[in-house]
Amino acid sequence: MASRLLFCRVLLLCLLFGGAQASPGEAETRARIEFLQREIARHDELYFRRATPEITDAAYDELKRELAALETAHPAWAIPREGVTFGDDRSGTFPTAEHVAPMLGLDKVYTEEELRAFVARVVRASGRPQPAFVVEPKFDGLAISVTYRDGRFVRAVTRGNGREGEDVSKNIAIVRGLQEGLRGERSELPRLVELRGEIYMTWDEFRRINEEQESAGEPLYSHPRNLAVGTLKRIDATTLNRQLDVVFYGIGACEPESARPASQHALLAQLRAWGLPAIENALAATGADDVSETVQRIGGERAGFPFPTDGAVVKLDEVAAQREVGESDSAPRWAVAFKFPPERVETRVRGIVWQVGRTGVLTPVADLDPVELGGTTIARVTLHNAEEVRRRDVRVGDWVTIEKAGEIVPAVRGVNLARRPENAVPVAAPERCPECQTPVQRDESAVALRCPNPECPAQLRRRLVHFASRAAVDIRGLGPAGVDALVSAGLVKNVADLYRLSQHELPSRWRGKDGERLMEGIERSKRAELWRFIHGLGIPEIGVVTSKVLAQRFRTLSALMAAAPEHFVADGKPVLEGVSLSAGSRCWRSWPTNAIAA
Ligand code: IVH
């Protein structure tokens, strides 16, 4: 906040004194614009393609607002984005397709007052004294438009920019409920219909995947929506063993028009008759009091829903009344989304530590006075990276607001400057690795700090935990505490050392039967499939999919180890789909071969 104040002051000085000469603030502002553009593009990439967003939607909106304000104030300094529109869900991975009827969004309201004003406006514009409303849960996923011709599936297209989205039909095999055709007599089915709905991930599926991540020592996904988006948008989605769901709630183009249901509740009934999953929990309401109570009712029940929700959608029921009220360019005037407030709590930062990951990336983590939030006790929260620490200016001793906007992983929403202790100082990014004291390096994006020492004990511990995890070679009985014990005793310095252990030298926690079990687990892990071993090595950019490609291509570990860079090319193309040859060869050279020699 303080840095932002300083920044605003600099900006004001620029505006007052800025002339033909480059003012002192110009370079700073240009740099800030450039930084914001890069940062927003990076978050889009994380959100839409990798499904691992680092910041909350609100924090993302904040970055966009700051950039828009700067670009409006300095149109000459704005850097052309070459056709990139932020927030557009198109990732370039799939062919684009035009919607027949545009896909509109929804206007949002956040307070009861705004909700009542919406009802009053719609009642007035509808020309009816007591129009009926339908209140539905707002599913938190990814909007989709599915076209059926004569009852046959044609394509599934994401919203994109509303006019044109991405055709993700190739991936619909992983979406339960998107069967091939509509049920019913062909003569009674519409010639063409665009059905609108949401692709989402159930809480059960989300938890299952996160449990797998956890046992593999991989970072957890923060929200089922992000994971649903990231999954559907992956070229290899069908190989991932992930389940998505769809629910329908709307209709776009419909031919003939006479086949269009006359009301929202009739549409939901029709969708069900066609055999499609439609919203089950839609409620009828009339008048502002009733609408408001019904929205609150959904708010009260939503914790028990098997799907993620972030609000309730209020729609005028009758299509004739909807037409009367009309729409704007971006949203219908007859519907609104009421967003439930996120859960928040204030607590104190006890300390900030820099954790070293298995690839050496340093992540700042705030230790908190433990607080209850949304049913769990929060004692730590990630601050993601050095840039985020600088941007938020979180200091030790600060009171921070922790928010859980449906997220499993809570995030710092803001710092309460009024409660900042006088002696609080900005957190400096470490110059050296907190574990092994090696000078840290910044990665190309200048956002992440990395310990470059492959022998760093912290990295070693994390690598061993990953190697022994269920997602890799699965050494039963060897978890983080066991790895700590082996490393502290100096018995294990790399993966290969695990296979040189003898039972009599194991630390005391493995006396007797436990030691036998561990030795058995290590022995059994030698029979793990080759791809599990490759994945277990934790080489940057070599995940499960690439490990499987490598294992298939080279068959044995010795063939893989003997491979020269040119062996990574088949038919003039790198064998590692999505991984460039240079990335592949760099990894092998930088990886200590003695670790593989086991
Ligand atoms: S109706 C023309 N109903 O929320 C009206 N949308 O923030 C179009 N959403 O783009 C939308 N649940 O992706 C509608 N029951 C529901 C919904 C819903 C989730 C999504 C939809 C929309 C977004 C707006």
Coordinates of all heavy atoms in Angstrom, one line a residue, residues 368-418:
L368 N 1.2 -17.5 10.7 CA 0.2 -16.6 11.2 C -0.2 -17.0 12.6 O 0.0 -18.2 13.0 CB -1.1 -16.7 10.3 CG -0.9 -16.5 8.8 CD1 -2.2 -16.9 8.1 CD2 -0.6 -15.0 8.6
D369 N -0.8 -16.1 13.4 CA -1.5 -16.5 14.6 C -2.7 -17.3 14.1 O -3.5 -16.8 13.3 CB -2.1 -15.2 15.3 CG -1.0 -14.5 16.1 OD1 0.1 -15.1 16.3 OD2 -1.2 -13.3 16.5
P370 N -2.8 -18.6 14.5 CA -3.8 -19.4 13.9 C -5.2 -18.8 14.1 O -5.6 -18.3 15.1 CB -3.7 -20.7 14.7 CG -2.3 -20.7 15.3 CD -2.0 -19.2 15.5
V371 N -6.0 -18.9 13.0 CA -7.4 -18.4 13.0 C -8.3 -19.4 12.3 O -7.9 -20.2 11.5 CB -7.6 -17.1 12.3 CG1 -7.4 -15.9 13.2 CG2 -6.8 -17.1 11.0
E372 N -9.6 -19.4 12.7 CA -10.6 -20.2 12.1 C -11.1 -19.5 10.9 O -11.4 -18.3 10.9 CB -11.8 -20.3 13.0 CG -11.7 -21.5 14.0 CD -12.0 -22.8 13.4 OE1 -13.1 -23.0 12.8 OE2 -11.1 -23.7 13.5
L373 N -11.2 -20.2 9.7 CA -11.8 -19.6 8.5 C -12.5 -20.7 7.7 O -11.8 -21.7 7.3 CB -10.7 -18.9 7.7 CG -11.1 -18.2 6.5 CD1 -12.0 -17.0 6.8 CD2 -9.9 -17.7 5.7
G374 N -13.8 -20.5 7.5 CA -14.5 -21.5 6.7 C -14.3 -22.9 7.2 O -14.2 -23.8 6.4
G375 N -14.3 -23.1 8.5 CA -14.3 -24.5 9.1 C -12.9 -25.1 9.2 O -12.8 -26.2 9.7
T376 N -11.8 -24.4 8.8 CA -10.5 -24.9 9.1 C -9.6 -23.9 9.8 O -9.9 -22.7 9.8 CB -9.8 -25.3 7.8 OG1 -9.9 -24.2 6.9 CG2 -10.2 -26.6 7.2
T377 N -8.6 -24.4 10.5 CA -7.7 -23.5 11.2 C -6.5 -23.1 10.2 O -5.9 -24.0 9.7 CB -7.1 -24.1 12.4 OG1 -8.3 -24.5 13.2 CG2 -6.3 -23.2 13.2
I378 N -6.3 -21.8 10.1 CA -5.2 -21.4 9.2 C -4.1 -20.9 10.0 O -4.3 -20.0 10.8 CB -5.7 -20.2 8.2 CG1 -7.1 -20.5 7.7 CG2 -4.7 -19.9 7.2 CD1 -7.2 -21.5 6.6
A379 N -2.9 -21.5 9.8 CA -1.7 -21.0 10.5 C -0.6 -20.5 9.6 O 0.4 -19.9 10.0 CB -1.2 -22.1 11.4
R380 N -0.8 -20.9 8.3 CA 0.3 -20.5 7.3 C -0.4 -20.1 6.0 O -1.5 -20.6 5.7 CB 1.2 -21.6 7.0 CG 1.6 -22.5 8.1 CD 2.8 -23.3 7.7 NE 4.0 -22.6 7.9 CZ 5.2 -23.0 7.4 NH1 5.3 -24.1 6.7 NH2 6.3 -22.2 7.6
V381 N 0.2 -19.2 5.3 CA -0.4 -18.8 4.0 C 0.7 -18.5 3.1 O 1.7 -17.8 3.5 CB -1.5 -17.7 4.1 CG1 -0.9 -16.4 4.7 CG2 -2.2 -17.4 2.8
T382 N 0.7 -19.0 1.8 CA 1.7 -18.7 0.9 C 1.6 -17.3 0.4 O 0.6 -16.8 0.2 CB 1.8 -19.7 -0.3 OG1 2.7 -19.2 -1.2 CG2 0.4 -19.8 -1.0
L383 N 2.8 -16.7 0.2 CA 2.8 -15.3 -0.4 C 3.4 -15.4 -1.8 O 3.7 -14.4 -2.5 CB 3.7 -14.4 0.4 CG 3.2 -14.2 1.9 CD1 4.2 -13.4 2.7 CD2 1.9 -13.4 1.9
H384 N 3.4 -16.6 -2.3 CA 3.7 -17.0 -3.7 C 5.2 -16.7 -4.2 O 5.9 -17.6 -4.6 CB 2.7 -16.3 -4.7 CG 1.4 -16.7 -4.4 ND1 0.9 -18.0 -4.5 CD2 0.3 -16.0 -3.9 CE1 -0.3 -18.1 -4.1 NE2 -0.7 -16.9 -3.7
N385 N 5.6 -15.4 -4.2 CA 6.9 -15.1 -4.7 C 7.3 -13.7 -4.2 O 6.6 -13.0 -3.6 CB 6.9 -15.1 -6.3 CG 5.9 -14.2 -6.9 OD1 5.8 -13.1 -6.5 ND2 5.1 -14.8 -7.8
A386 N 8.6 -13.4 -4.5 CA 9.2 -12.1 -4.0 C 8.4 -10.9 -4.5 O 8.2 -9.9 -3.8 CB 10.6 -12.0 -4.4
E387 N 8.0 -11.0 -5.7 CA 7.2 -9.9 -6.3 C 5.9 -9.6 -5.6 O 5.5 -8.5 -5.3 CB 7.0 -10.1 -7.8 CG 6.2 -9.1 -8.5 CD 6.6 -7.6 -8.3 OE1 7.8 -7.4 -8.1 OE2 5.7 -6.8 -8.3
E388 N 5.2 -10.7 -5.2 CA 4.0 -10.6 -4.5 C 4.2 -10.0 -3.1 O 3.4 -9.2 -2.6 CB 3.3 -12.0 -4.4 CG 2.0 -12.0 -3.7 CD 0.8 -11.5 -4.5 OE1 1.0 -11.0 -5.6 OE2 -0.3 -11.6 -4.0
V389 N 5.3 -10.4 -2.5 CA 5.7 -9.8 -1.2 C 5.9 -8.3 -1.3 O 5.4 -7.5 -0.5 CB 6.9 -10.5 -0.6 CG1 7.4 -9.8 0.7 CG2 6.7 -12.0 -0.3
R390 N 6.6 -7.9 -2.4 CA 6.9 -6.5 -2.6 C 5.6 -5.7 -2.9 O 5.4 -4.7 -2.3 CB 7.9 -6.4 -3.7 CG 8.6 -5.0 -3.9 CD 9.2 -4.8 -5.2 NE 8.2 -4.9 -6.3 CZ 7.4 -3.9 -6.6 NH1 7.5 -2.7 -5.9 NH2 6.5 -4.0 -7.6
R391 N 4.8 -6.3 -3.8 CA 3.6 -5.6 -4.2 C 2.6 -5.5 -3.0 O 2.1 -4.4 -2.8 CB 2.9 -6.5 -5.3 CG 1.9 -5.8 -6.1 CD 1.4 -6.7 -7.2 NE 0.6 -7.7 -6.8 CZ -0.7 -7.6 -6.5 NH1 -1.3 -6.5 -6.6 NH2 -1.4 -8.7 -6.1
R392 N 2.5 -6.5 -2.2 CA 1.6 -6.4 -1.1 C 2.2 -5.7 0.1 O 1.5 -5.3 1.0 CB 1.1 -7.8 -0.6 CG 0.3 -8.5 -1.7 CD -0.9 -9.1 -1.0 NE -1.9 -9.5 -1.9 CZ -3.0 -8.9 -2.3 NH1 -3.3 -7.7 -1.7 NH2 -3.8 -9.3 -3.1
D393 N 3.5 -5.7 0.1 CA 4.3 -5.1 1.2 C 3.8 -5.7 2.6 O 3.5 -4.9 3.5 CB 4.2 -3.6 1.2 CG 5.1 -2.9 2.2 OD1 6.1 -3.6 2.6 OD2 4.9 -1.7 2.6
V394 N 3.8 -7.0 2.7 CA 3.4 -7.7 3.9 C 4.7 -7.7 4.8 O 5.8 -8.1 4.3 CB 3.0 -9.1 3.7 CG1 2.6 -9.8 5.0 CG2 1.8 -9.1 2.7
R395 N 4.5 -7.2 6.1 CA 5.7 -7.2 7.0 C 5.4 -8.1 8.2 O 4.3 -8.3 8.6 CB 6.0 -5.8 7.4 CG 6.2 -4.9 6.2 CD 6.5 -3.5 6.7 NE 6.6 -2.6 5.5 CZ 6.9 -1.3 5.6 NH1 7.2 -0.8 6.8 NH2 7.0 -0.6 4.5
V396 N 6.5 -8.5 8.8 CA 6.3 -9.3 10.1 C 5.7 -8.4 11.1 O 6.1 -7.2 11.3 CB 7.7 -9.8 10.6 CG1 7.6 -10.5 11.9 CG2 8.3 -10.7 9.5
G397 N 4.7 -8.9 11.8 CA 3.9 -8.1 12.8 C 2.7 -7.4 12.2 O 1.8 -7.0 13.0
D398 N 2.5 -7.4 10.9 CA 1.3 -6.9 10.3 C 0.1 -7.7 10.6 O 0.1 -8.9 10.7 CB 1.5 -6.9 8.7 CG 2.1 -5.6 8.2 OD1 2.1 -4.6 9.0 OD2 2.6 -5.6 7.0
W399 N -1.1 -7.0 10.6 CA -2.4 -7.6 10.6 C -2.8 -7.7 9.2 O -2.9 -6.7 8.5 CB -3.4 -6.8 11.5 CG -3.0 -7.0 12.9 CD1 -2.1 -6.3 13.6 CD2 -3.6 -7.9 13.8 NE1 -2.1 -6.7 14.9 CE2 -3.0 -7.7 15.1 CE3 -4.6 -8.9 13.7 CZ2 -3.3 -8.5 16.2 CZ3 -4.9 -9.7 14.8 CH2 -4.3 -9.5 16.0
V400 N -3.1 -8.9 8.8 CA -3.5 -9.1 7.4 C -4.9 -9.7 7.3 O -5.3 -10.4 8.2 CB -2.5 -10.0 6.6 CG1 -1.2 -9.4 6.4 CG2 -2.3 -11.4 7.3
T401 N -5.6 -9.4 6.2 CA -6.9 -10.1 6.0 C -6.7 -11.3 5.2 O -6.1 -11.3 4.1 CB -7.9 -9.1 5.2 OG1 -7.9 -7.9 5.9 CG2 -9.3 -9.7 5.1
I402 N -7.2 -12.4 5.7 CA -7.1 -13.7 5.0 C -8.4 -14.0 4.4 O -9.5 -13.8 5.1 CB -6.7 -14.8 5.9 CG1 -5.4 -14.5 6.7 CG2 -6.5 -16.2 5.2 CD1 -4.2 -14.4 5.9
E403 N -8.5 -14.4 3.1 CA -9.7 -14.6 2.5 C -9.8 -16.0 1.9 O -8.8 -16.5 1.4 CB -9.8 -13.6 1.3 CG -11.1 -13.6 0.6 CD -11.2 -12.5 -0.4 OE1 -11.4 -11.4 0.0 OE2 -11.1 -12.9 -1.6
K404 N -11.0 -16.6 1.9 CA -11.2 -17.9 1.3 C -12.4 -17.7 0.4 O -13.6 -17.8 0.9 CB -11.5 -18.9 2.4 CG -10.8 -20.2 2.2 CD -11.0 -21.0 3.5 CE -10.8 -22.4 3.3 NZ -11.2 -23.2 4.5
A405 N -12.2 -17.3 -0.8 CA -13.4 -17.1 -1.7 C -13.8 -18.4 -2.3 O -13.7 -18.7 -3.5 CB -13.0 -16.1 -2.8
G406 N -14.2 -19.4 -1.4 CA -14.5 -20.7 -1.9 C -13.2 -21.5 -2.1 O -13.2 -22.7 -2.2
E407 N -12.1 -20.8 -2.0 CA -10.8 -21.5 -2.2 C -10.4 -22.4 -1.1 O -10.7 -22.1 0.1 CB -9.7 -20.4 -2.4 CG -9.3 -20.2 -3.8 CD -10.0 -19.0 -4.4 OE1 -11.1 -18.7 -4.0 OE2 -9.4 -18.3 -5.3
I408 N -9.8 -23.5 -1.4 CA -9.3 -24.4 -0.4 C -8.1 -23.8 0.2 O -7.9 -23.8 1.4 CB -8.8 -25.7 -1.1 CG1 -10.0 -26.4 -1.7 CG2 -8.0 -26.6 -0.2 CD1 -10.9 -27.1 -0.7
V409 N -7.3 -23.1 -0.6 CA -6.0 -22.5 -0.1 C -6.4 -21.0 0.1 O -6.7 -20.3 -0.8 CB -4.9 -22.6 -1.2 CG1 -3.6 -22.0 -0.6 CG2 -4.7 -24.0 -1.6
P410 N -6.3 -20.6 1.4 CA -6.6 -19.2 1.6 C -5.5 -18.2 1.1 O -4.4 -18.7 0.9 CB -6.7 -19.1 3.2 CG -5.9 -20.3 3.6 CD -5.9 -21.3 2.6
A411 N -5.9 -17.0 0.9 CA -4.9 -16.0 0.3 C -5.0 -14.7 1.1 O -6.0 -14.4 1.8 CB -5.3 -15.7 -1.1
V412 N -3.8 -14.0 1.1 CA -3.8 -12.7 1.8 C -4.5 -11.7 0.9 O -4.2 -11.6 -0.3 CB -2.3 -12.3 2.0 CG1 -2.3 -10.8 2.5 CG2 -1.7 -13.2 3.1
R413 N -5.5 -11.0 1.5 CA -6.3 -10.1 0.7 C -5.7 -8.7 0.9 O -5.8 -7.9 0.0 CB -7.7 -10.2 1.1 CG -8.7 -9.5 0.3 CD -8.8 -10.1 -1.1 NE -9.5 -9.2 -2.0 CZ -8.8 -8.3 -2.7 NH1 -7.5 -8.3 -2.8 NH2 -9.5 -7.5 -3.5
G414 N -5.2 -8.4 2.0 CA -4.7 -7.0 2.2 C -4.1 -6.9 3.6 O -4.2 -7.7 4.5
V415 N -3.4 -5.7 3.8 CA -2.7 -5.4 5.0 C -3.4 -4.3 5.7 O -3.8 -3.3 5.0 CB -1.2 -5.0 4.7 CG1 -0.5 -4.6 6.0 CG2 -0.5 -6.1 4.0
N416 N -3.7 -4.4 7.0 CA -4.3 -3.3 7.7 C -3.2 -2.4 8.2 O -2.6 -2.6 9.3 CB -5.1 -3.9 8.9 CG -5.9 -2.9 9.7 OD1 -5.7 -1.7 9.5 ND2 -6.8 -3.3 10.6
L417 N -3.0 -1.3 7.5 CA -1.9 -0.4 7.8 C -2.1 0.3 9.1 O -1.1 0.7 9.8 CB -1.8 0.6 6.6 CG -1.3 0.0 5.3 CD1 -1.2 1.1 4.2 CD2 0.1 -0.6 5.5
A418 N -3.4 0.5 9.5 CA -3.7 1.2 10.8 C -3.1 0.4 11.9 O -2.8 1.0 13.0 CB -5.2 1.4 10.9

